[in-house]
Amino acid sequence: MGETVLVAGLAYSGDPSGLARTAAFGTTIVISVLVWRIYFQRAGQVLPEAVARAVQPALIGRSAADTHLVMVIGLTAMALGYELTIEHPSGHPAAAWIAMVVGGPVLFLAGRARFEYEVFGRVSPSRWIAALALLAAVPVLLHLATLVSAGAVAAALLAVAVADARWAWGRPPEQPAPPF
């Protein structure tokens, strides 16, 4: 996750002039904070305990490693999307740009949903709803500025983070319940 912030900082430091570039930089930092929040929302904290409670600890450990690979691929795509967004905030995006700006967060959310299943045996609907909403928006985002796509990603991730916080509010910390 730190790489995404590094890439955003490097892209912005190349030419920090202009309101659109500054807004793009700010949006990418907000996205990074939201991704961090979504990742560590309880499942990231209790993975070792879930492995210890699993009927097949090796299976859950191997599965979690694969899941983390999906999330890392999503984060790498997000870093590329950050660079494109900061360097061309008001530009007309190519389809490959939108694949990075939107596809990276969608991959991350898919990986995080699987991770949640591995730890708790359930998946919060907010992850799938946000991922599907972002994918459904792609045809429209292809005709809008790159910064708008990043804004849509930030809004979707904010909705997931708020849904996580609302679900956990007033409840005792959820205990791991690995399905295998």
Side-chain angles (χ1 to χ4, degrees), residues 24-121:
F25 174 71
T27 302
T28 60
I29 296 302
V30 166
I31 291 169
S32 289
V33 169
L34 290 168
V35 163
W36 178 84
R37 171 75 170 105
I38 291 166
Y39 175 77
F40 283 105
Q41 175 67 28
R42 194 68 182 135
Q45 297 169 344
V46 298
L47 176 61
E49 190 178 338
V51 171
R53 287 186 180 191
V55 174
Q56 299 175 338
L59 180 61
I60 193 171
R62 192 171 36 255
S63 182
D66 293 343
T67 298
H68 277 83
L69 179 60
V70 171
M71 288 188 281
V72 167
I73 292 169
L75 290 169
T76 302
M78 285 172 58
L80 292 169
Y82 285 5
E83 188 171 1
L84 292 167
T85 300
I86 292 168
E87 291 180 0
H88 311 283
S90 55
H92 182 74
W97 294 11
I98 297 301
M100 297 299 114
V101 174
V102 174
V106 167
L107 270 176
F108 172 80
L109 286 170
R112 181 55 178 80
R114 179 175 162 175
F115 183 53
E116 186 175 30
Y117 176 74
E118 292 162 348
V119 173
F120 298 118

